[in-house]
Amino acid sequence: MKTIGIVGLGLIGGSFARAYKAADETFAVYAADQDRSTLQFARLLGAIDGELNRETLGKCDGVLVCLHTELSCQWLEANAPSIPASALAMDCCGTKRRICEVGFRLAKRYGFEYAGGHPMAGTHRWGFKNSRADMFRGASFVVVPRVYDDVTLLERVRSFVMPAGFQRLAVTTAENHDRLIAFTSQLAHVVSNAYVKSPTAREHRGFSAGSYRDLTRVAWLNPTMWTDLFLENRDHLLSEIDQILGELRQYRDAIAAGDEKRLWRLLEEGRRRKEEVDG
C-alpha cells in the first residue's frame, strides 16, 4: 500500500484523491483542507482515509500540494521539516518559477525529493464538489525536476502520478513551462473572459452554436485563482497579449479597408498555422 498526502481538496486535489481511491493499486489517502466540512464530506464519500497532519504526513510516500502558489509556498515552508526524507513532494500550481524555487530549496535543506508538477486537465468549475475520479484520464502531467535528465526521479514521478489516469509525462524547466502556459492556457482565459463582455452576448441564445460555446467555456473562471496566476506570470502573459493584439489589428485593418486579398491571406495563414501545429 502506498500512502499519499494531498494538501487542498479543491477541483485538482479532490480529483487526485478520488482517482487514487478508484485506482487498481491500493492507496491510503490523507488530506488537509481549510474547510472542515470538505474534509468530512470527502471522508464520507471514501475519497480520503483521514486528515493529513504532522503524524500522517510522516507516513507519506508522496505529497501533492494543490493550493494557489503563495499558499503552496507557505505550506511547504511550514511543513517541510515534517516531510519524510523518503518522500516525493510535488506541487500542482499553474505557474512554476516561484513554487519550484521554494520547493527545491526546502528539499535540499530537509532531505526529501521535490519536483514541480502541473496536471494538464481541469474544468471551468472549481471546488471538491466538481472533482472527478476520471479528471486526468488520458491527460499529460508536466514535470519540472531539479535536474532535467534525472531518470530515476522521472520514474518515481511516473509511478506516483500515473495511477491517477495520466497518459504521458512532459518534462521541462520552470521558465519554459511558464512561457508556454501563458499561451496555451492563460491567454485563452483572458480572451474568453473579454470576448463574453460584448453587449451582444446577452442576445446570443438561438444564434450561437459550437463556436460560441468553445470560445466562452473558460470565461466562467475562478477570478481569485486566475488573478494570482496572471500576475505571477505577467511577463510571459503580457508578451502573448501584445502578440494577439497585433494580429487582431491586422484583421481589423483589412476589414475596415475592404481589402479582400489581404483578409484572405490572413485567414489562410491562420488556417495553415492550425494545420501545421495540430494537423
Side-chain angles (χ1 to χ4, degrees):
M1 177 184 290
K2 294 180 181 179
T3 301
I4 306 296
I6 297 176
V7 185
L9 281 178
L11 178 70
I12 298 302
S15 294
F16 265 111
R18 292 185 178 202
Y20 282 126
K21 298 306 288 186
D24 292 336
E25 300 178 51
T26 303
F27 289 91
V29 179
Y30 295 93
D33 195 275
Q34 63 180 358
D35 187 347
R36 301 292 304 178
S37 63
T38 296
L39 283 173
Q40 294 167 1
F41 184 51
R43 189 163 190 177
L44 183 65
L45 289 180
I48 65 173
D49 296 288
E51 184 176 357
L52 184 68
N53 50 36
R54 291 294 172 90
E55 180 183 353
T56 52
L57 179 58
K59 302 176 182 178
C60 288
D61 303 299
V63 180
L64 282 168
V65 186
C66 304
L67 304 172
H68 298 181
T69 302
E70 190 55 40
L71 290 176
S72 293
C73 291
Q74 291 174 13
W75 189 91
L76 284 171
E77 293 279 7
N79 292 277
S82 300
I83 298 175
S86 59
L88 169 61
M90 301 189 72
D91 71 273
C92 292
C93 297
T95 57
K96 296 267 74 81
R97 284 175 287 180
R98 169 148 168 71
I99 186 64
C100 284
E101 183 276 324
V102 171
F104 293 150
R105 171 173 54 80
L106 292 172
K108 182 178 180 180
R109 179 177 178 182
Y110 292 104
F112 59 89
E113 188 62 83
Y114 180 86
H118 190 179
M120 292 290 96
T123 74
H124 57 283
R125 301 183 185 275
W126 59 91
F128 181 79
K129 64 183 178 181
N130 293 302
S131 62
R132 307 194 318 261
D134 64 350
M135 178 70 72
F136 309 121
R137 188 172 299 163
S140 294
F141 188 86
V142 178
V143 186
V144 178
R146 182 177 59 83
V147 178
Y148 189 80
D149 58 353
D150 188 338
V151 177
T152 302
L153 172 61
L154 294 179
E155 284 303 315
R156 193 174 180 188
V157 171
R158 183 183 299 277
S159 68
F160 185 11
V161 302
M162 287 304 189
F166 293 97
Q167 184 174 345
R168 66 189 70 84
L169 297 182
V171 184
T172 188
T173 63
E175 175 68 29
N176 195 50
H177 169 278
D178 289 358
R179 180 183 65 84
L180 290 173
I181 217 70
F183 170 73
T184 62
S185 177
Q186 294 182 347
L187 179 65
H189 282 77
V190 169
V191 171
S192 179
N193 198 263
Y195 170 82
V196 80
K197 290 178 181 177
S198 168
T200 314
R202 299 184 181 277
E203 307 171 55
H204 84 86
R205 297 187 186 280
F207 296 85
S208 59
S211 298
Y212 174 84
R213 289 194 301 271
D214 290 347
L215 189 51
T216 60
R217 180 181 67 82
V218 294
W220 200 346
L221 47 69
N222 180 336
T224 301
M225 181 183 79
W226 286 100
T227 295
D228 291 345
L229 290 171
F230 291 164
L231 294 180
E232 287 164 16
N233 205 30
R234 71 184 71 183
D235 52 348
H236 293 305
L237 180 55
L238 285 173
S239 177
E240 292 297 340
I241 290 175
D242 289 343
Q243 173 69 28
I244 198 171
L245 287 175
E247 296 293 341
L248 287 172
R249 174 61 62 180
Q250 292 191 59
Y251 288 91
R252 188 195 184 286
D253 290 349
I255 293 169
D259 192 334
E260 179 180 354
K261 291 183 178 179
R262 184 182 177 193
L263 180 59
W264 186 92
R265 285 196 300 270
L266 289 169
L267 294 170
E268 172 61 11
E269 181 184 49
R271 186 201 65 78
R272 282 191 288 104
R273 183 66 59 85
K274 172 65 174 176
E275 184 177 31
E276 290 170 3
V277 299
D278 292 325

